[in-house]
Protein backbone atom coordinates (compact mmCIF):
# COMPACT_ATOMS: atom_id res chain seq x y z
CA UNK A 1 0.00 0.00 0.00
CA UNK A 2 1.42 3.41 -0.90
CA UNK A 3 1.85 6.20 1.58
CA UNK A 4 -1.06 8.65 1.74
CA UNK A 5 -0.92 12.40 2.03
CA UNK A 6 -4.37 13.82 2.50
CA UNK A 7 -5.18 17.48 2.92
CA UNK A 8 -8.07 19.89 2.70
CA UNK A 9 -7.54 22.33 -0.09
CA UNK A 10 -9.21 25.61 -1.03
CA UNK A 11 -10.51 24.84 -4.49
CA UNK A 12 -12.79 27.44 -6.09
CA UNK A 13 -15.44 24.74 -6.47
CA UNK A 14 -16.17 21.53 -4.70
CA UNK A 15 -13.41 19.46 -6.14
CA UNK A 16 -11.26 16.56 -5.01
CA UNK A 17 -8.13 15.21 -6.59
CA UNK A 18 -6.01 12.10 -6.24
CA UNK A 19 -2.59 11.58 -7.78
CA UNK A 20 0.08 8.93 -7.46
CA UNK A 21 3.55 10.42 -7.51
CA UNK A 22 6.67 8.48 -6.62
CA UNK A 23 4.66 5.88 -4.72
CA UNK A 24 2.87 8.47 -2.63
CA UNK A 25 -0.86 9.05 -3.04
CA UNK A 26 -1.61 12.76 -2.83
CA UNK A 27 -5.24 13.47 -2.02
CA UNK A 28 -6.73 16.91 -1.96
CA UNK A 29 -10.22 17.33 -0.61
CA UNK A 30 -12.21 20.51 -1.02
CA UNK A 31 -12.23 22.50 2.21
CA UNK A 32 -15.98 22.83 1.67
CA UNK A 33 -16.21 19.20 2.74
CA UNK A 34 -14.46 19.82 6.03
CA UNK A 35 -16.74 18.62 8.80
CA UNK A 36 -19.00 16.57 6.54
CA UNK A 37 -20.38 13.28 7.94
CA UNK A 38 -18.12 10.26 8.12
CA UNK A 39 -20.17 8.21 5.65
CA UNK A 40 -19.78 11.01 3.08
CA UNK A 41 -16.01 11.00 3.61
CA UNK A 42 -16.01 7.23 3.29
CA UNK A 43 -17.97 7.47 0.05
CA UNK A 44 -15.50 10.05 -1.25
CA UNK A 45 -12.52 7.88 -0.30
CA UNK A 46 -14.11 4.99 -2.16
CA UNK A 47 -14.72 7.13 -5.25
CA UNK A 48 -11.18 8.52 -5.30
CA UNK A 49 -9.59 5.10 -4.85
CA UNK A 50 -11.84 3.62 -7.52
CA UNK A 51 -10.79 6.43 -9.82
CA UNK A 52 -7.05 6.00 -9.37
CA UNK A 53 -7.13 2.20 -9.54
CA UNK A 54 -9.71 2.19 -12.34
CA UNK A 55 -12.22 0.14 -10.40
CA UNK A 56 -16.00 0.41 -10.64
CA UNK A 57 -17.65 2.84 -8.25
CA UNK A 58 -20.32 1.28 -6.07
CA UNK A 59 -23.66 2.99 -6.67
CA UNK A 60 -24.29 3.34 -2.92
CA UNK A 61 -21.19 5.49 -2.51
CA UNK A 62 -21.77 7.44 -5.69
CA UNK A 63 -25.33 8.28 -4.64
CA UNK A 64 -24.39 9.16 -1.10
CA UNK A 65 -21.65 11.53 -2.18
CA UNK A 66 -23.65 13.16 -4.97
CA UNK A 67 -26.68 13.65 -2.77
CA UNK A 68 -24.62 15.33 -0.10
CA UNK A 69 -22.78 17.65 -2.44
CA UNK A 70 -25.88 18.67 -4.36
CA UNK A 71 -27.87 19.31 -1.21
CA UNK A 72 -29.03 22.85 -0.92
CA UNK A 73 -26.62 23.97 1.77
CA UNK A 74 -23.53 22.77 -0.01
CA UNK A 75 -24.59 24.30 -3.29
CA UNK A 76 -25.25 27.63 -1.65
CA UNK A 77 -21.96 27.54 0.18
CA UNK A 78 -20.02 26.72 -2.96
CA UNK A 79 -21.76 29.50 -4.77
CA UNK A 80 -20.97 31.98 -2.02
CA UNK A 81 -17.38 30.86 -1.95
CA UNK A 82 -16.98 31.28 -5.70
CA UNK A 83 -18.35 34.77 -5.45
CA UNK A 84 -16.19 35.77 -2.54
CA UNK A 85 -13.02 34.09 -3.77
CA UNK A 86 -13.54 35.68 -7.13
CA UNK A 87 -13.93 39.10 -5.62
CA UNK A 88 -11.68 39.04 -2.61
CA UNK A 89 -7.98 38.53 -2.99
CA UNK A 90 -6.69 36.95 0.14
CA UNK A 91 -3.98 39.29 1.29
CA UNK A 92 -1.11 38.60 3.55
CA UNK A 93 -1.30 38.16 7.30
CA UNK A 94 1.76 40.34 7.63
CA UNK A 95 0.99 44.03 7.74
CA UNK A 96 3.25 47.06 8.00
CA UNK A 97 3.27 46.88 11.80
CA UNK A 98 1.52 43.73 12.99
CA UNK A 99 1.73 40.13 11.87
CA UNK A 100 -1.66 38.50 12.36
CA UNK A 101 -0.27 34.95 12.16
CA UNK A 102 2.13 35.72 14.95
CA UNK A 103 -0.57 37.33 17.08
CA UNK A 104 -2.86 34.36 16.49
CA UNK A 105 -0.20 31.88 17.58
CA UNK A 106 0.68 33.88 20.68
CA UNK A 107 -2.98 34.05 21.75
CA UNK A 108 -3.44 30.41 20.85
CA UNK A 109 -0.69 29.44 23.30
CA UNK A 110 -1.81 31.93 25.92
CA UNK A 111 -5.52 31.08 26.00
CA UNK A 112 -6.30 27.93 24.00
CA UNK A 113 -3.44 25.51 24.80
CA UNK A 114 -2.40 25.94 21.17
CA UNK A 115 -5.41 23.87 20.14
CA UNK A 116 -7.11 26.15 17.65
CA UNK A 117 -6.26 25.46 14.02
CA UNK A 118 -5.16 28.72 12.50
CA UNK A 119 -7.51 29.95 9.79
CA UNK A 120 -6.37 32.20 6.99
CA UNK A 121 -5.41 35.45 8.74
CA UNK A 122 -5.67 38.52 6.60
CA UNK A 123 -5.73 42.29 6.75
CA UNK A 124 -8.69 43.72 4.85
CA UNK A 125 -7.96 45.55 1.63
CA UNK A 126 -9.88 48.61 2.64
CA UNK A 127 -9.49 50.80 5.71
CA UNK A 128 -13.13 50.34 6.68
CA UNK A 129 -13.97 51.39 10.20
CA UNK A 130 -17.50 50.02 10.33
CA UNK A 131 -16.26 46.44 10.53
CA UNK A 132 -13.35 45.91 12.93
CA UNK A 133 -12.95 42.29 12.00
CA UNK A 134 -14.94 39.22 11.20
CA UNK A 135 -14.61 35.49 11.00
CA UNK A 136 -15.64 34.22 7.61
CA UNK A 137 -16.60 30.54 7.85
CA UNK A 138 -16.99 30.15 4.08
CA UNK A 139 -13.23 30.59 3.65
CA UNK A 140 -12.21 29.84 7.19
CA UNK A 141 -10.61 33.27 7.39
CA UNK A 142 -10.25 35.96 10.01
CA UNK A 143 -10.23 39.35 8.33
CA UNK A 144 -9.09 42.38 10.33
CA UNK A 145 -9.60 45.95 9.16
CA UNK A 146 -6.36 47.46 7.92
CA UNK A 147 -7.10 50.53 10.04
CA UNK A 148 -5.45 48.68 12.93
CA UNK A 149 -2.19 47.97 11.16
CA UNK A 150 -0.71 51.21 12.37
CA UNK A 151 1.97 52.21 14.89
CA UNK A 152 -0.52 54.40 16.75
CA UNK A 153 -2.67 51.37 17.47
CA UNK A 154 -1.57 49.60 20.66
CA UNK A 155 -0.82 45.92 20.26
CA UNK A 156 -3.38 45.04 22.93
CA UNK A 157 -6.16 46.45 20.71
CA UNK A 158 -5.14 44.20 17.80
CA UNK A 159 -4.76 41.27 20.16
CA UNK A 160 -8.21 41.88 21.60
CA UNK A 161 -9.78 42.02 18.12
CA UNK A 162 -8.09 38.78 17.10
CA UNK A 163 -8.94 37.14 20.45
CA UNK A 164 -12.61 38.03 19.95
CA UNK A 165 -12.63 36.39 16.51
CA UNK A 166 -10.83 33.34 17.91
CA UNK A 167 -13.66 32.97 20.39
CA UNK A 168 -16.03 32.88 17.41
CA UNK A 169 -13.93 30.02 16.05
CA UNK A 170 -14.19 28.21 19.35
CA UNK A 171 -17.89 28.91 19.89
CA UNK A 172 -19.70 28.47 16.58
CA UNK A 173 -23.01 30.29 16.27
CA UNK A 174 -25.78 28.33 17.99
CA UNK A 175 -29.46 28.59 17.31
CA UNK A 176 -31.38 29.41 20.46
CA UNK A 177 -35.07 29.34 19.65
CA UNK A 178 -35.20 31.25 16.41
CA UNK A 179 -32.64 33.78 17.52
CA UNK A 180 -29.01 33.46 16.52
CA UNK A 181 -26.94 33.61 19.64
CA UNK A 182 -23.62 35.04 18.62
CA UNK A 183 -22.09 36.11 21.91
CA UNK A 184 -23.46 33.58 24.36
CA UNK A 185 -22.68 33.52 28.10
CA UNK A 186 -19.66 31.20 27.67
CA UNK A 187 -18.31 33.48 24.96
CA UNK A 188 -18.68 36.53 27.15
CA UNK A 189 -17.13 34.86 30.18
CA UNK A 190 -14.10 33.86 28.13
CA UNK A 191 -13.78 37.28 26.62
CA UNK A 192 -13.37 38.69 30.12
CA UNK A 193 -10.21 36.61 30.54
CA UNK A 194 -8.37 38.98 28.22
CA UNK A 195 -6.11 40.94 30.59
CA UNK A 196 -6.17 44.33 28.83
CA UNK A 197 -9.85 44.21 27.99
CA UNK A 198 -10.66 47.65 29.37
CA UNK A 199 -7.69 49.33 27.76
CA UNK A 200 -8.42 47.76 24.38
CA UNK A 201 -12.12 48.57 24.50
CA UNK A 202 -11.40 52.15 25.47
CA UNK A 203 -9.07 52.56 22.52
CA UNK A 204 -11.64 51.12 20.10
CA UNK A 205 -14.33 53.39 21.49
CA UNK A 206 -12.20 56.47 20.90
CA UNK A 207 -11.32 55.45 17.35
ZN1 LIG B 1 -18.37 38.97 17.76
Amino acid sequence: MPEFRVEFYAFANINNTIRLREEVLHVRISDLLEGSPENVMEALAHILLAKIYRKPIQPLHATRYRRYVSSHAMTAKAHLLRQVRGRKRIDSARGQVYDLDEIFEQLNRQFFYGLLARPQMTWSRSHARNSLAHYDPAHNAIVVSRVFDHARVPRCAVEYIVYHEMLHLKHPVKLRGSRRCVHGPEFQAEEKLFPQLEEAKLFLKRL
Side-chain angles (χ1 to χ4, degrees), residues 92-108 110-112 121-124 132-134 142-167 191 194-205 207:
S92 157
R94 185 172 298 192
Q96 303 282 330
V97 182
Y98 295 113
D99 182 340
L100 292 173
D101 280 348
E102 187 239 310
I103 288 177
F104 182 98
E105 289 310 337
Q106 178 215 313
L107 295 167
N108 202 8
Q110 198 175 344
F111 296 102
F112 304 96
M121 302 296 294
T122 169
W123 291 104
S124 70
L132 307 183
H134 65 278
I142 288 177
V143 183
V144 180
S145 172
R146 201 170 281 280
V147 171
F148 300 105
D149 183 29
H150 196 285
R152 279 200 306 263
V153 176
R155 186 179 167 99
C156 75
V158 184
E159 283 180 3
Y160 165 65
I161 291 165
V162 173
Y163 180 62
H164 181 96
E165 298 311 318
M166 289 170 83
L167 290 176
E191 194 176 55
F194 187 75
Q196 293 142 297
L197 187 65
E198 292 312 314
E199 193 186 336
K201 277 189 164 170
L202 196 68
F203 175 83
L204 295 177
K205 215 185 207 172
L207 189 77

